[in-house]
Amino acid sequence: MKAMLIHKYGQKNMQLENVPIPEISYDDVLVEIHAASINPVDFKIRDGKLKPLINYKMPLILGNDFSGTVLKTGKNVTKFKAGDSVYGRPRKSRIGTFAEYIAIHEDDIALKPENVTFEEAASVPLVGLTTYQAFHEILNLKPKDKIWIQAGSGGIGTFAIQLAKEMGAYVATTASSAGKDLVESLGADKVINYREENFEEVLADYDYVYDTLGGDALVNSFQILKAGGKIVSISDLPNGRFGKENNYPFWKTIAFRLISRKLTKLEKQYQVQYNFLFMKPSGEQLNKIKELIEAEKIKPFIDRVIPFEDVQKAMEYSESGRAKGKIVIKIK
């Protein structure tokens, strides 16, 4: 099969190579991939920025979510059969969706929403699961809660705004002039033009922050929370709480605690809680997202669809930060 690989961390240009079709185990399905999507985690993995969390063996096929058709199933598989249209996010030790085929555990996939294309379905799993877990498992978002969602017109933001509104929250977000109409159409209640205003000077007394940027944007977010509020970040540093709750070795948990000291100080200063999220695959949660999409309560938003052989261009465009919605790779 054809696949896009890197042979070492920091390799900016992926290589299109022929590699064996993966073998499946008893609990796996083999999927012919129709489409995959680009996510910021792809270039973080490529650049070695996630090595403290997971260190991959090389060569490595990149890619973290997809849609496609089941070709065959392992003997223990009960949820799927050959011919099923599915979408999913492989577990972190088994990534590799920039390829024509993938072997994946049956628990990590769900039937594709019937009312969207393969390309639209491929845009959902990683951003959908990340946001679902942030809102349901960490923030416990409730009707009338006020949440600050950064970068509203991006791949995660477009999904997050819709899910937050479906859950009854009041949503503030950032967008440029070009993205304002889009985020308002998704339901954003307050839109801040980040080129003209500093959000920390405008917002106050928010219950939650969904941090997708890290850095100064995260640090400034502490200022807008009420006492007892929570931040969940998918872009900054893991802390000791994350290490302990996810059963990392003691020495690594201590390391997380040390590198996140500045954030811990801000937690105490503002009397809020900072949480780092490293999303887990879940076919069960993808089924719930599938229901929301089929009920037209959430709509996938795609910036552009790019041919498989142009994955490199897609990665570069994603890194530019100009995309409105998701960037999808058409493989079949």
Side-chain angles (χ1 to χ4, degrees):
M1 70 174 184
K2 293 179 180 178
M4 284 285 184
L5 287 85
I6 58 171
H7 289 262
K8 62 180 180 179
Y9 284 119
Q11 180 183 326
K12 296 295 184 182
N13 294 316
M14 293 177 289
Q15 296 176 329
L16 183 62
E17 301 179 23
N18 284 309
V19 298
I21 294 174
E23 298 289 332
I24 61 171
S25 67
Y26 293 158
D27 299 311
D28 290 345
V29 301
L30 180 67
V31 178
E32 182 178 24
I33 298 176
H34 290 239
S37 80
I38 302 285
N39 295 281
V41 71
D42 296 315
F43 41 86
K44 290 181 181 179
I45 292 172
R46 178 201 66 193
D47 295 342
K49 293 181 178 179
L50 295 186
K51 285 174 70 176
L53 298 174
I54 183 167
N55 193 4
Y56 289 100
K57 293 181 179 180
M58 299 291 162
L60 175 67
I61 303 172
L62 292 174
N64 283 273
D65 54 8
F66 72 97
S67 65
T69 303
V70 174
L71 292 185
K72 63 179 180 179
T73 62
K75 71 176 188 178
N76 291 343
V77 172
T78 60
K79 302 174 185 176
F80 304 97
K81 64 183 185 303
D84 282 344
S85 297
V86 297
Y87 75 145
R89 195 278 197 237
R91 50 199 60 182
K92 298 172 185 70
S93 59
R94 301 181 67 181
I95 68 169
T97 65
F98 297 165
E100 293 181 309
Y101 303 92
I102 191 169
I104 186 168
H105 196 288
E106 69 166 337
D107 289 345
D108 299 348
I109 60 175
L111 293 175
K112 180 182 78 69
E114 293 184 358
N115 59 332
V116 297
T117 65
F118 280 104
E119 290 77 20
E120 289 172 320
S123 75
V124 171
L126 191 142
V127 298
L129 288 170
T130 301
T131 304
Y132 189 94
Q133 289 166 23
F135 289 3
H136 284 273
E137 297 177 3
I138 297 177
L139 301 183
N140 298 310
L141 197 61
K142 302 180 298 298
K144 298 184 180 179
D145 283 343
K146 295 172 69 176
I147 185 169
W148 167 240
I149 297 172
Q150 297 166 347
S153 63
I156 290 180
T158 51
F159 186 96
I161 291 170
Q162 293 180 85
L163 183 58
K165 294 307 298 180
E166 168 60 21
M167 296 174 72
Y170 178 94
V171 175
T173 191
T174 48
S176 64
S177 298
K180 184 174 185 292
D181 288 345
L182 171 59
V183 297
E184 287 182 339
S185 73
L186 300 176
D189 298 287
K190 185 172 184 62
V191 182
I192 294 175
N193 187 327
Y194 60 87
R195 291 175 176 156
E196 299 176 356
E197 295 180 291
N198 296 319
F199 71 86
E200 68 273 17
E201 297 174 359
V202 178
L203 306 179
D205 294 322
Y206 272 67
D207 299 287
Y208 305 120
V209 170
Y210 187 30
D211 170 57
T212 63
L213 300 176
D216 289 342
L218 168 62
V219 170
N220 292 335
S221 292
F222 281 85
Q223 302 176 41
I224 73 168
L225 285 170
K226 61 176 65 171
K230 291 182 181 180
I231 296 175
V232 57
S233 176
I234 60 173
S235 296
D236 212 271
L237 296 171
N239 58 0
R241 182 185 301 110
F242 169 82
K244 186 176 181 180
E245 291 176 351
N246 289 274
N247 299 313
Y248 277 88
F250 178 74
W251 67 268
K252 189 167 280 192
T253 298
I254 293 297
F256 290 159
R257 189 172 297 153
L258 289 173
I259 64 174
S260 63
R261 283 175 296 180
K262 180 179 179 180
L263 298 174
T264 301
K265 183 178 179 180
L266 288 168
E267 280 187 299
K268 294 177 180 177
Q269 178 182 347
Y270 290 100
Q271 298 181 293
V272 299
Q273 185 183 95
Y274 168 79
N275 303 270
F276 177 78
L277 172 62
F278 200 28
M279 180 272 294
K280 301 177 180 66
S282 171
E284 181 181 354
Q285 291 177 354
L286 283 174
N287 270 320
K288 294 177 180 177
I289 294 169
K290 170 181 177 287
E291 293 171 1
L292 291 171
I293 292 172
E294 290 181 338
E296 298 185 349
K297 294 179 179 179
I298 290 180
K299 178 183 177 181
F301 274 86
I302 294 176
D303 181 286
R304 61 189 61 184
V305 177
I306 295 176
F308 187 27
E309 59 269 21
D310 291 331
V311 170
Q312 189 62 41
K313 293 179 181 177
M315 290 280 278
E316 292 167 2
Y317 180 57
S318 178
E319 288 185 272
S320 76
R322 299 193 305 270
K324 301 292 186 288
K326 292 298 295 291
I327 304 161
V328 175
I329 307 303
K330 184 176 178 62
I331 297 175
K332 181 182 178 182

